[in-house]
Amino acid sequence: MSSKNSDKEKYYARLRHQMVETQIRNRGVTNPVVLKAMRNVPRHLFVPESVRSQAYDDHPLPIGHGQTISQPYMVAFMTEALAPRTGMKVLEIGTGSGYQTAVLLEAGAEVYSIERVQELAEKAKKQLEALGYSRFYIRVGDGTLGWPEAAPFDGIIVTAGAPEIPQPLVNQLADGGRLVIPVGDRMGQDLLLVEKREGQVFIQNLGGCVFVKLIGKHGWSQ
Ligand code: SAM
């Protein structure tokens, strides 16, 4: 790495550290695995050049195709809600930039990720490989159907807003597993934590959020 590049990386590492302290830890995310993952993943490499200077700011950013990379706090909050642990098998719906995938990988998960926009999926895969991640699989398709051949999953994270909880995802959740999903209308949703215990489903509302639409058979129509 040239000294100019290494200065830049040090600069971004400082911004990342500040982001974790002020936006994430200060708002109550305490899981050390999540905080470490958020500190390690170079978020600036997952956003388009045109918005790179805002990569560590406290809001979502556009990634093309009318889609966004979520606010850093929301990524941390949702990851913590999944209770990540090494070796956990996670299904992610909405790969987008691949940033959330990288955070899950850093937290020790094996990640199956589905994205409906082919170009985003390809870009995310390339970026994740360039950073040396390997325990992930990306598929282009309708994530509301889940990934039945790879089920059951210890965790499922949906990073787009759904009108209701897609039943295939509940079916593909392992016993003891956790599903985190924004559910509501097109303007705003509640972030739901769905837990499966001894075949029973328990739902907890973690609070309000705003996501782009989950489009698919068990989501919104186009
Ligand atoms: N997790 C992403 C990240 O870290 O950049 C952000 C995801 S963005 C908020 C939501 C993504 O969900 C978009 O890329 C969108 O194309 C995708 N999406 C919407 N409906 C989908 C579906 N049924 N299956 C798979 N992906 C879907």
Side-chain angles (χ1 to χ4, degrees), residues 67-68 94-97 100 114-116 141-143 159 212-213 215:
Q67 305 303 324
T68 54
T95 319
S97 67
Q100 171 77 74
I114 309 177
E115 170 56 54
R116 61 183 289 277
D142 176 6
T159 62
V212 295
K213 282 184 298 182
I215 297 169

Side-chain angles (χ1 to χ4, degrees), residues 138-158:
I138 294 182
R139 164 188 277 191
V140 177
D142 176 6
T144 70
L145 301 171
W147 195 318
E149 316 88 272
F153 298 97
D154 306 309
I156 302 181
I157 181 168
V158 182

Side-chain angles (χ1 to χ4, degrees), residues 67-68 70 78 92-95 115-116 144 157-164 166 180-184 189-191 209-215 220:
Q67 305 303 324
T68 54
S70 303
M78 290 176 83
E92 177 190 32
I93 312 301
T95 319
E115 170 56 54
R116 61 183 289 277
T144 70
I157 181 168
V158 182
T159 62
E164 58 188 20
V180 183
I181 178 167
V183 175
Q189 305 91 31
D190 287 316
L191 189 64
C209 55
V210 182
F211 276 83
V212 295
K213 282 184 298 182
L214 181 74
I215 297 169
W220 296 102

